[in-house]
Amino acid sequence: MYQIVSATVGDVGLSAMRESTPPKKKRVDRHGRRLMVATLLGVVLVTAAVAAWSYYSTSLRKADLLKTELLDLNKDGFVIHNQAGAVIFQMTFRSDSLDLDSCLKEGRVLTCSRSSAGSLNFFIETVKPKDTVMCYRVRWEELETSRAVEHAMAYHGSHWYGGGETRSQHWPIVFHGSQEPEPFITGDVGSKQRVFGNILERYWLSSNATAIKINDSVPFHLGWDENSKMMRFQARYENSPYKADRGRPVRAELSYRVCVGHDVGSIHKYMVRRYFNKPSKVPSEAAFRQPIWSTWAFFKTAVNQDKLLTYASEIQTHGFNWSHLDLDDQYTSGYGEFDFDPVKFPNASHMFKKLGDDGFKFTLWTHPFVNYNSTNFGTGVERGLFVREPSGELPALIRWWNGIGSILDFTNPETRDWYALHLRNLKNEYGIASFKFDAGETSYLPQQFSTFVPLQDPSMFTRRYTEMAIPFNDRAELRAGYQSQNISCFFRITDRNSLWGYDLGLKSIIPTVLTVSILGYQFVLPDVIGGNAYPDYTDGEKGFPDRELYIRWLELSAFMPVMQFSIPPWVYNNEVVEIARKFTALHETLVAPRVLKLAGEVLNTGDPIIRPLWWIATDDEAAYKIDSQFLIGDELMVAPVLEPGKQERDIYLPAGKWRSYKSEHFDKGPMHLTDYPVDLDEIAYFVRSA
Amino acid sequence: MYQIVSATVGDVGLSAMRESTPPKKKRVDRHGRRLMVATLLGVVLVTAAVAAWSYYSTSLRKADLLKTELLDLNKDGFVIHNQAGAVIFQMTFRSDSLDLDSCLKEGRVLTCSRSSAGSLNFFIETVKPKDTVMCYRVRWEELETSRAVEHAMAYHGSHWYGGGETRSQHWPIVFHGSQEPEPFITGDVGSKQRVFGNILERYWLSSNATAIKINDSVPFHLGWDENSKMMRFQARYENSPYKADRGRPVRAELSYRVCVGHDVGSIHKYMVRRYFNKPSKVPSEAAFRQPIWSTWAFFKTAVNQDKLLTYASEIQTHGFNWSHLDLDDQYTSGYGEFDFDPVKFPNASHMFKKLGDDGFKFTLWTHPFVNYNSTNFGTGVERGLFVREPSGELPALIRWWNGIGSILDFTNPETRDWYALHLRNLKNEYGIASFKFDAGETSYLPQQFSTFVPLQDPSMFTRRYTEMAIPFNDRAELRAGYQSQNISCFFRITDRNSLWGYDLGLKSIIPTVLTVSILGYQFVLPDVIGGNAYPDYTDGEKGFPDRELYIRWLELSAFMPVMQFSIPPWVYNNEVVEIARKFTALHETLVAPRVLKLAGEVLNTGDPIIRPLWWIATDDEAAYKIDSQFLIGDELMVAPVLEPGKQERDIYLPAGKWRSYKSEHFDKGPMHLTDYPVDLDEIAYFVRSA
């Protein structure tokens, strides 16, 4: 069209010029006038045509430019399609919109240099690391403001997993109400309502085979809104514990990568292999086979030498075996001390010798706190071992569940040496096997603080603390983690309450274990059987968990990587003791060998031991929503009873051939088994045949 | 003029209209044209005239409006003239300039509603409280920004006094270099370089009979600049320990009043009577007559029962008398405790009984700190007695010269009761007369903090602390003060070094005592004779002050309201003991009666006991600059030797009839006596005859 119009213009022009040397004036005059009119008309037409074409072609270029692989960018956000053209990911720019005229595309990189607010450094880089995976690296850095940058991810239309532990844990994630963006840093969900998890990673995975990983350098805040069904990803420094790197301008930068794969399993495997640390060794085989027995829930802080001796003796007399015993809170006189309280443990050396001769091993409870009234507080103050107030001059006081004190600054090499020395001394003097490292979350740091080595991301404090467990990692237990997947220790999900429900109760265990597994923590402790029997959070009488709850909890625990007892079965009756013996035996014979084999694979793959049903059923919508069943590896599927008073439950069997623990065969799956009978002393499990 | 022009316009218009119904067309046409031209011309003239008149009259009104009494306002500041037309005060608006078109004057109030940055609440109100005094209340409140407000006062052309103690104290004030505005809050100038004084008020007085008082509500920061010769008065909340009142917008407001009088003495008297608190009683007469003996400089923290007994005994055997003895630092085991260290004071009760029988009275050293390793730290933590970190949840730690601990929160009634109870118990159990309340400056507060009752002005902490002395005020000693003039106690100038110079040495005493006197603190202790003998700040051998320095210091102290010994004269030789006896006697017979009479007048007037020479010589430029002489009342003039190796000095005698201590008569003043001889055991003083 353009060329045709252009040729006409040329003709008109040329003929006009040719005829401008006329033979007769009058004819020329009349003819000339007509030509002039025609010429003018032509020019107008041409101009219009050129303008239209330019606009059209610019639009074409722009439209082309704003596509990169399966991602479409517009001024207010971007969407990613799958091969079939359906939208599988949607991100909205909330803090500002792009000036699309400032965008350029060069190869795999699409950049924009202006937002509606000013200069900006924006890019989306496309990376195709393998045939089945496409990743989009996104970075938004405002150059002229120190404002927050916020992108909001639509979470509707698919199921999401990951992030971290929460107080009310669901699988997939459930977003309640709306939440302004808060620092996404480790926090003790067991003691505080509105914090993110004890174990936490900046990673989410969706059922439509997309995953998002927020970059480590981002001062990352998370919020959500139930109405708009958006997760709000915000980068900011204002009113935030994140600190900009010294010497760098305080400009919030939001950067992340979104990867898309063929299915949820393969994209997760790609992300784990690419972005997560992996452990280098499998911790104690014994702990995977035999239960750990903790003094905590049973004795609380009233533990003493006699009680511990009796406990050990009763474990033996009731015919149980053990990996080790955990001597928990208050074996010292003060918090922050490392000597046995001489009143409660008049002869600790002799006690450990005697118990050691009987085949018992021990872990000791430890924590990062030194209370102001402990003998080591002065040492910490004078030697600068503590986290300090913001000016860095003086220690800051903090409150934790056992009082007021300071928190050891594990960014300080002198603190690390001092702490490690004390732990080594305990280990050597009493033959202690290892330690239970309690706490470590940033929610126990002062509201404002400074550390020996400045922390841009406060959660790095958690990482530093978890590193203290490395020398003791055969049986060490941690309950907080951030980028800590390579600490080859057991990670315990945070303290459970002795309740049936999702609020840290029995129902929360599977969602929580699945979540931390998705975050790369595979040597998971599901916390003590029956929960911690905290007075205000216990379904049951006499301070003990409800008997039925205890039994159901025991059954579930038997199918977890490690069993942990504290309230012993013999506080109920002999029937409970027998059920417990049955399930510790089942754990050792059926579960442990599978878990140990999978644990070995973790070192190479980072893949979960405890897996969600969709792991083997990625095309199965039903599988994405099930939070009361799980897989051990790909073959053993477990469906515990988690409701009080029930001796049956509905069970979903994914496609495949399954043999039940009652030796029934099912091969017409996927299928629902409704009201499948499960006696009180039973747990439903199914083994898949190849 | 306006009306005349207006009438002409009317005529032209009317005649044109009348003639617009013409008898003949042609004539009308020609005549009409001429009329039209004339009319147009007239309109143009009229418009121009009206515009000119409006402009002229507006200017007249504006010029009138921007004068209020002897103050001329312009967009960048204001000046105040004296009756003779000379500029005696000049203030520059540094943060912003006024939009003069927004200004209005109604009666005695001149208001402006816009600055070049936006809306504003500005006024200058003129108040003439008495015939000889004119005050200007100035208030600048930005309505649209939370920026700092800054006004800069020219300090050249006159001499300025007031403000507070400084580390290098001069009289009149000397501004060195340039200083960005810093919070004008109490600070220990003895331990920190860049703080404002232990005793501090927002008041300055100038030799040309102007005074400025910054309002209490202002978040006040002071800076200066030697080049432009400006004091910078800034109101701000950002990067500042001042806190806006809860529920009020965080808008910095700078308000102050400038008062002008006939002479410096009368304007100062007006300001003191109007704006300063006054004490309600005169403290211990004995302390004005006989010296206080402190253990501090002599024994430091090594004081113990034997040493104290020996010290008391030596005071007696050397023939000295005493008001009381001050048992200073470290009679307790820990800082924050109130029991005598049983090792250092094995029998404190018996010791005080015995010394009491010998006629000794005692004050005990106390302070607002509780060290972390004292037995009372836990009490303070658990009962919430301490100043806290900003969130208010936990105590904050602070560092002071005796270690690390917390600081008692005297805004908390429970803390006040607890502290007062301990002091009362000491008083009752040991027959203690009173206490030396050390510290109390805001520079010992945490960098960021919160108190039980929020403090908008951190210096109110000092005020609250000084109130603790009220029940013990007969002999109580304080060294920090803010709006504390009504605490009827002795106020000590901060610790002196055993040096000759201005840096807390001998030469600093007169400027400092004059300064705190101008600030309304009249029961002044000039600190211990010879200074504190701090190792790094001592001119002298064996750790004692230089003998000559000690003697000159002794002589000066004899003419101060109270004498304080610590290093005793007998550490030198008998000659020094004899000089000391001579001067303690002179103090008791010559000085004390005058001081006590003046002290009684303070309750009514607030006027200084120790006065600058200009007090009786307001027309005498020389009198404004003299910092090595002073008056006791209006009749006794003192001129101590303050230079090493000198047995003579220049002395300025103001107008009047003077009789020297050598009974010479001088009545041709004002005059300079050059190289006036003063032996080592003498101090020059002159008595004025009526």
Side-chain angles (χ1 to χ4, degrees), chain B residues 14-32:
Chain B
L14 282 170
S15 61
M17 277 173 73
R18 250 181 263 130
E19 300 204 20
S20 71
T21 323
K24 282 173 191 167
K25 205 184 173 195
K26 197 140 189 174
R27 275 187 65 202
V28 170
D29 213 354
R30 219 188 320 150
H31 190 73

PDB file of all heavy atoms in Angstrom, chain B residues 14-32:
ATOM      1  N   LEU B  14     -20.235  60.654  30.011  1.00  0.00           N
ATOM      2  CA  LEU B  14     -21.594  61.197  29.920  1.00  0.00           C
ATOM      3  C   LEU B  14     -21.775  62.020  28.646  1.00  0.00           C
ATOM      4  O   LEU B  14     -22.755  61.864  27.925  1.00  0.00           O
ATOM      5  CB  LEU B  14     -21.902  62.058  31.148  1.00  0.00           C
ATOM      6  CG  LEU B  14     -22.253  61.266  32.422  1.00  0.00           C
ATOM      7  CD1 LEU B  14     -22.298  62.189  33.629  1.00  0.00           C
ATOM      8  CD2 LEU B  14     -23.577  60.520  32.229  1.00  0.00           C
ATOM      9  N   SER B  15     -20.841  62.904  28.373  1.00  0.00           N
ATOM     10  CA  SER B  15     -20.970  63.744  27.161  1.00  0.00           C
ATOM     11  C   SER B  15     -20.984  62.876  25.909  1.00  0.00           C
ATOM     12  O   SER B  15     -21.747  63.095  24.980  1.00  0.00           O
ATOM     13  CB  SER B  15     -19.834  64.780  27.101  1.00  0.00           C
ATOM     14  OG  SER B  15     -18.593  64.108  27.033  1.00  0.00           O
ATOM     15  N   ALA B  16     -20.175  61.836  25.880  1.00  0.00           N
ATOM     16  CA  ALA B  16     -20.157  60.936  24.727  1.00  0.00           C
ATOM     17  C   ALA B  16     -21.515  60.265  24.553  1.00  0.00           C
ATOM     18  O   ALA B  16     -22.037  60.144  23.452  1.00  0.00           O
ATOM     19  CB  ALA B  16     -19.079  59.876  24.905  1.00  0.00           C
ATOM     20  N   MET B  17     -22.089  59.870  25.662  1.00  0.00           N
ATOM     21  CA  MET B  17     -23.379  59.201  25.590  1.00  0.00           C
ATOM     22  C   MET B  17     -24.478  60.176  25.149  1.00  0.00           C
ATOM     23  O   MET B  17     -25.330  59.864  24.336  1.00  0.00           O
ATOM     24  CB  MET B  17     -23.744  58.601  26.951  1.00  0.00           C
ATOM     25  CG  MET B  17     -23.092  57.248  27.181  1.00  0.00           C
ATOM     26  SD  MET B  17     -23.363  56.651  28.833  1.00  0.00           S
ATOM     27  CE  MET B  17     -25.099  56.186  28.733  1.00  0.00           C
ATOM     28  N   ARG B  18     -24.382  61.361  25.721  1.00  0.00           N
ATOM     29  CA  ARG B  18     -25.404  62.350  25.358  1.00  0.00           C
ATOM     30  C   ARG B  18     -25.364  62.626  23.855  1.00  0.00           C
ATOM     31  O   ARG B  18     -26.377  62.709  23.203  1.00  0.00           O
ATOM     32  CB  ARG B  18     -25.148  63.662  26.134  1.00  0.00           C
ATOM     33  CG  ARG B  18     -26.207  63.923  27.196  1.00  0.00           C
ATOM     34  CD  ARG B  18     -25.894  65.228  27.891  1.00  0.00           C
ATOM     35  NE  ARG B  18     -25.165  65.000  29.127  1.00  0.00           N
ATOM     36  CZ  ARG B  18     -24.053  65.631  29.458  1.00  0.00           C
ATOM     37  NH1 ARG B  18     -23.502  66.493  28.622  1.00  0.00           N
ATOM     38  NH2 ARG B  18     -23.488  65.399  30.589  1.00  0.00           N
ATOM     39  N   GLU B  19     -24.193  62.679  23.323  1.00  0.00           N
ATOM     40  CA  GLU B  19     -24.059  63.030  21.912  1.00  0.00           C
ATOM     41  C   GLU B  19     -24.140  61.837  20.982  1.00  0.00           C
ATOM     42  O   GLU B  19     -23.944  61.948  19.794  1.00  0.00           O
ATOM     43  CB  GLU B  19     -22.730  63.785  21.712  1.00  0.00           C
ATOM     44  CG  GLU B  19     -22.711  65.036  22.547  1.00  0.00           C
ATOM     45  CD  GLU B  19     -21.762  66.097  22.005  1.00  0.00           C
ATOM     46  OE1 GLU B  19     -21.399  66.035  20.808  1.00  0.00           O
ATOM     47  OE2 GLU B  19     -21.393  66.967  22.773  1.00  0.00           O
ATOM     48  N   SER B  20     -24.428  60.662  21.546  1.00  0.00           N
ATOM     49  CA  SER B  20     -24.533  59.478  20.691  1.00  0.00           C
ATOM     50  C   SER B  20     -25.906  59.386  19.992  1.00  0.00           C
ATOM     51  O   SER B  20     -26.158  58.477  19.245  1.00  0.00           O
ATOM     52  CB  SER B  20     -24.252  58.199  21.508  1.00  0.00           C
ATOM     53  OG  SER B  20     -25.334  57.973  22.396  1.00  0.00           O
ATOM     54  N   THR B  21     -26.778  60.309  20.256  1.00  0.00           N
ATOM     55  CA  THR B  21     -28.023  60.409  19.475  1.00  0.00           C
ATOM     56  C   THR B  21     -27.919  61.710  18.637  1.00  0.00           C
ATOM     57  O   THR B  21     -28.348  62.781  19.065  1.00  0.00           O
ATOM     58  CB  THR B  21     -29.253  60.491  20.423  1.00  0.00           C
ATOM     59  OG1 THR B  21     -29.004  59.634  21.543  1.00  0.00           O
ATOM     60  CG2 THR B  21     -30.519  60.078  19.719  1.00  0.00           C
ATOM     61  N   PRO B  22     -27.292  61.608  17.480  1.00  0.00           N
ATOM     62  CA  PRO B  22     -26.885  62.821  16.750  1.00  0.00           C
ATOM     63  C   PRO B  22     -28.017  63.387  15.876  1.00  0.00           C
ATOM     64  O   PRO B  22     -28.848  62.619  15.367  1.00  0.00           O
ATOM     65  CB  PRO B  22     -25.742  62.293  15.877  1.00  0.00           C
ATOM     66  CG  PRO B  22     -26.080  60.848  15.646  1.00  0.00           C
ATOM     67  CD  PRO B  22     -26.959  60.390  16.744  1.00  0.00           C
ATOM     68  N   PRO B  23     -28.037  64.715  15.684  1.00  0.00           N
ATOM     69  CA  PRO B  23     -29.006  65.297  14.753  1.00  0.00           C
ATOM     70  C   PRO B  23     -28.620  65.035  13.297  1.00  0.00           C
ATOM     71  O   PRO B  23     -29.457  64.668  12.479  1.00  0.00           O
ATOM     72  CB  PRO B  23     -28.950  66.798  15.080  1.00  0.00           C
ATOM     73  CG  PRO B  23     -27.653  67.032  15.784  1.00  0.00           C
ATOM     74  CD  PRO B  23     -27.178  65.745  16.280  1.00  0.00           C
ATOM     75  N   LYS B  24     -27.301  65.144  13.028  1.00  0.00           N
ATOM     76  CA  LYS B  24     -26.861  64.898  11.647  1.00  0.00           C
ATOM     77  C   LYS B  24     -25.757  63.839  11.657  1.00  0.00           C
ATOM     78  O   LYS B  24     -24.866  63.840  12.509  1.00  0.00           O
ATOM     79  CB  LYS B  24     -26.290  66.206  11.032  1.00  0.00           C
ATOM     80  CG  LYS B  24     -27.388  67.169  10.606  1.00  0.00           C
ATOM     81  CD  LYS B  24     -26.739  68.492  10.170  1.00  0.00           C
ATOM     82  CE  LYS B  24     -27.805  69.565   9.992  1.00  0.00           C
ATOM     83  NZ  LYS B  24     -27.186  70.923   9.885  1.00  0.00           N
ATOM     84  N   LYS B  25     -25.850  62.995  10.654  1.00  0.00           N
ATOM     85  CA  LYS B  25     -24.939  61.859  10.688  1.00  0.00           C
ATOM     86  C   LYS B  25     -23.472  62.233  10.524  1.00  0.00           C
ATOM     87  O   LYS B  25     -22.617  61.813  11.303  1.00  0.00           O
ATOM     88  CB  LYS B  25     -25.325  60.849   9.599  1.00  0.00           C
ATOM     89  CG  LYS B  25     -24.833  59.461   9.982  1.00  0.00           C
ATOM     90  CD  LYS B  25     -25.095  58.434   8.928  1.00  0.00           C
ATOM     91  CE  LYS B  25     -24.423  57.134   9.320  1.00  0.00           C
ATOM     92  NZ  LYS B  25     -24.367  56.251   8.169  1.00  0.00           N
ATOM     93  N   LYS B  26     -23.186  63.091   9.548  1.00  0.00           N
ATOM     94  CA  LYS B  26     -21.794  63.396   9.252  1.00  0.00           C
ATOM     95  C   LYS B  26     -21.079  64.086  10.407  1.00  0.00           C
ATOM     96  O   LYS B  26     -19.971  63.737  10.794  1.00  0.00           O
ATOM     97  CB  LYS B  26     -21.680  64.269   7.982  1.00  0.00           C
ATOM     98  CG  LYS B  26     -20.279  64.260   7.397  1.00  0.00           C
ATOM     99  CD  LYS B  26     -20.335  64.199   5.877  1.00  0.00           C
ATOM    100  CE  LYS B  26     -18.957  63.964   5.275  1.00  0.00           C
ATOM    101  NZ  LYS B  26     -19.092  63.775   3.811  1.00  0.00           N
ATOM    102  N   ARG B  27     -21.739  65.069  10.975  1.00  0.00           N
ATOM    103  CA  ARG B  27     -21.135  65.814  12.085  1.00  0.00           C
ATOM    104  C   ARG B  27     -20.885  64.886  13.279  1.00  0.00           C
ATOM    105  O   ARG B  27     -19.865  64.914  13.934  1.00  0.00           O
ATOM    106  CB  ARG B  27     -22.061  66.963  12.499  1.00  0.00           C
ATOM    107  CG  ARG B  27     -21.855  68.219  11.642  1.00  0.00           C
ATOM    108  CD  ARG B  27     -22.672  69.356  12.205  1.00  0.00           C
ATOM    109  NE  ARG B  27     -22.201  69.747  13.519  1.00  0.00           N
ATOM    110  CZ  ARG B  27     -22.974  70.407  14.389  1.00  0.00           C
ATOM    111  NH1 ARG B  27     -24.244  70.646  14.123  1.00  0.00           N
ATOM    112  NH2 ARG B  27     -22.481  70.803  15.541  1.00  0.00           N
ATOM    113  N   VAL B  28     -21.986  64.167  13.465  1.00  0.00           N
ATOM    114  CA  VAL B  28     -21.853  63.182  14.572  1.00  0.00           C
ATOM    115  C   VAL B  28     -20.633  62.301  14.345  1.00  0.00           C
ATOM    116  O   VAL B  28     -19.816  62.088  15.217  1.00  0.00           O
ATOM    117  CB  VAL B  28     -23.126  62.318  14.674  1.00  0.00           C
ATOM    118  CG1 VAL B  28     -22.900  61.161  15.639  1.00  0.00           C
ATOM    119  CG2 VAL B  28     -24.286  63.158  15.100  1.00  0.00           C
ATOM    120  N   ASP B  29     -20.522  61.842  13.169  1.00  0.00           N
ATOM    121  CA  ASP B  29     -19.438  60.931  12.822  1.00  0.00           C
ATOM    122  C   ASP B  29     -18.066  61.521  13.160  1.00  0.00           C
ATOM    123  O   ASP B  29     -17.263  60.929  13.875  1.00  0.00           O
ATOM    124  CB  ASP B  29     -19.523  60.618  11.320  1.00  0.00           C
ATOM    125  CG  ASP B  29     -19.046  59.201  11.049  1.00  0.00           C
ATOM    126  OD1 ASP B  29     -18.545  58.537  12.024  1.00  0.00           O
ATOM    127  OD2 ASP B  29     -19.141  58.759   9.916  1.00  0.00           O
ATOM    128  N   ARG B  30     -17.836  62.762  12.677  1.00  0.00           N
ATOM    129  CA  ARG B  30     -16.550  63.387  12.900  1.00  0.00           C
ATOM    130  C   ARG B  30     -16.337  63.712  14.377  1.00  0.00           C
ATOM    131  O   ARG B  30     -15.351  63.374  14.987  1.00  0.00           O
ATOM    132  CB  ARG B  30     -16.464  64.671  12.054  1.00  0.00           C
ATOM    133  CG  ARG B  30     -15.064  64.861  11.464  1.00  0.00           C
ATOM    134  CD  ARG B  30     -14.921  66.214  10.789  1.00  0.00           C
ATOM    135  NE  ARG B  30     -16.114  66.573  10.038  1.00  0.00           N
ATOM    136  CZ  ARG B  30     -16.486  67.842   9.864  1.00  0.00           C
ATOM    137  NH1 ARG B  30     -15.794  68.835  10.411  1.00  0.00           N
ATOM    138  NH2 ARG B  30     -17.572  68.145   9.152  1.00  0.00           N
ATOM    139  N   HIS B  31     -17.408  64.389  14.924  1.00  0.00           N
ATOM    140  CA  HIS B  31     -17.351  64.744  16.337  1.00  0.00           C
ATOM    141  C   HIS B  31     -17.160  63.482  17.210  1.00  0.00           C
ATOM    142  O   HIS B  31     -16.340  63.406  18.124  1.00  0.00           O
ATOM    143  CB  HIS B  31     -18.664  65.452  16.717  1.00  0.00           C
ATOM    144  CG  HIS B  31     -18.615  66.062  18.072  1.00  0.00           C
ATOM    145  ND1 HIS B  31     -17.876  67.212  18.325  1.00  0.00           N
ATOM    146  CD2 HIS B  31     -19.194  65.713  19.247  1.00  0.00           C
ATOM    147  CE1 HIS B  31     -18.017  67.538  19.596  1.00  0.00           C
ATOM    148  NE2 HIS B  31     -18.823  66.630  20.186  1.00  0.00           N
ATOM    149  N   GLY B  32     -17.953  62.456  16.849  1.00  0.00           N
ATOM    150  CA  GLY B  32     -17.908  61.157  17.576  1.00  0.00           C
ATOM    151  C   GLY B  32     -16.509  60.567  17.577  1.00  0.00           C
ATOM    152  O   GLY B  32     -16.025  60.112  18.598  1.00  0.00           O
TER     153      GLY B  32
END
